[in-house]
Amino acid sequence: MASDPIPVVFVHGLWMHASSWQPWTEVFASRGYIPIAPGWPGDGETAEATRENPDKLNGVGIAEVARHYRTVVEALPTLPILVGHSFGGLIAQKLLGDGLARGAVAIAPAQFKGVLRLPPDQVRSVMPILRNPLLRKKTWTHTPESYHRTFANAISREESDRIFDAHTIPAPARPLFQAALANVAVGSPAKIDTRTARGPLLLVAGGADRMTPESIVASQYNIQRRNTGATEYSVLPDRGHSLAADDGWREVADLALDFLERHDLGAEKG
């Protein structure tokens, strides 16, 4: 008897709407998966609708996002695969560690509790937010200039502006404050279970990433590889933080698909 198709839940990060996953969902569907890309709690149906109502994201933090996706996952008929970018990559690892996924791909994932590195590029990228404590429960929006400088720095300004216009949204600042304080906060929501046996995990870093520099992802790998579950790490040397949404997205998607196939998580293996 044929097995049920495997769902794949895509989790976006800060400043990107779930619509940015559309090319991925099309490719994964063509490979036999059942892809879904829910937004964060407070997101509108479109990037434009989210921009028109930014206050709906006020106060949304890591715990609220994790709880939202936990509800999505628990409503599925079978355990999914999780694919997350940036803070979505942190959420993917968090749910994987909680036994809510059969495997995960974390692309330029935001750091979890226990990662101690603080690269200068990352500090410069997030300092406009962290230096203003009044933003802790508010949203913050990139300008086209700041987006290209920190998020999409490895691509042309023309391509950066195209992505900005199509997919960028206001983002809650709270996850950034929570990640920044994770190593000194008791009960931090950025803590994940890296010890309990779990399914396969692929971590992908961009060598030119300023938001989540390569060293941050490497530190996560050094912690995660102690797990008994398969853990792999891949670096794309010339890619920035926009690597899941820019014109080179297919290279990243193919890495993910190859990883899943090699670890018996191909769609036909469900």
Side-chain angles (χ1 to χ4, degrees):
M1 183 177 295
S3 300
D4 291 334
I6 300 176
V8 180
V9 178
F10 292 91
V11 188
H12 71 79
L14 296 180
W15 301 298
M16 295 296 286
H17 191 264
S19 59
S20 61
W21 288 117
Q22 182 178 352
W24 286 71
T25 61
E26 292 173 354
V27 167
F28 272 68
S30 73
R31 297 287 285 267
Y33 294 99
I34 305 298
I36 57 174
W40 283 24
D43 282 356
E45 288 296 316
T46 64
E48 182 178 2
T50 309
R51 293 170 194 148
E52 291 174 353
N53 294 283
D55 290 351
K56 289 187 176 182
L57 287 158
N58 285 349
V60 172
I62 294 170
E64 289 77 17
V65 178
R67 186 162 53 247
H68 175 74
Y69 282 95
R70 175 185 288 267
T71 299
V72 170
V73 166
E74 290 177 340
L76 296 172
T78 185
L79 281 179
I81 293 162
L82 298 172
V83 178
H85 171 245
S86 192
F87 270 91
L90 187 157
I91 298 298
Q93 292 182 77
K94 191 175 184 69
L95 297 183
L96 178 67
D98 290 343
L100 293 172
R102 63 182 74 199
V105 177
I107 305 162
Q111 59 261 54
F112 51 74
K113 185 179 179 72
V115 174
L116 303 178
R117 289 184 177 274
L118 196 62
D121 275 349
Q122 186 180 50
V123 173
R124 285 190 290 268
S125 296
V126 301
M127 191 52 65
I129 301 168
L130 296 182
R131 70 186 174 195
N132 184 356
L134 295 178
L135 287 173
R136 290 184 70 137
K137 294 187 178 181
K138 300 291 186 179
T139 61
W140 188 88
T141 305
H142 272 291
T143 64
E145 292 74 21
S146 66
Y147 184 77
H148 184 239
R149 183 174 63 251
T150 63
F151 197 108
N153 58 289
I155 59 177
S156 70
R157 177 61 189 269
E158 180 181 9
E159 185 182 355
S160 174
D161 286 351
R162 177 183 60 77
I163 300 170
F164 182 89
D165 291 341
H167 302 299
T168 59
I169 57 175
R174 192 177 180 192
L176 285 171
F177 283 94
Q178 290 174 326
L181 297 173
N183 289 315
V184 296
V186 176
S188 169
K191 181 179 181 180
I192 69 174
D193 183 351
T194 62
R195 296 178 179 272
T196 301
R198 52 152 172 80
L201 171 66
L202 171 64
L203 295 156
V204 181
D209 194 330
R210 292 176 177 172
M211 292 295 302
T212 309
E214 179 185 340
S215 62
I216 293 288
V217 188
S219 293
Q220 294 180 59
Y221 170 69
N222 286 333
I223 295 171
Q224 287 281 19
R225 67 178 178 175
R226 302 169 193 161
N227 193 283
T228 57
T231 307
E232 294 187 14
Y233 176 54
S234 182
V235 180
L236 301 175
D238 301 321
R239 306 297 298 279
H241 201 63
S242 65
L243 76 172
D246 60 37
D247 286 346
W249 69 270
R250 185 59 192 262
E251 180 183 18
V252 190
D254 286 341
L255 274 177
L257 287 164
D258 175 70
F259 170 80
L260 296 174
E261 177 67 26
R262 286 188 290 101
H263 291 281
D264 294 323
L265 294 176
E268 73 280 2
K269 303 291 180 63

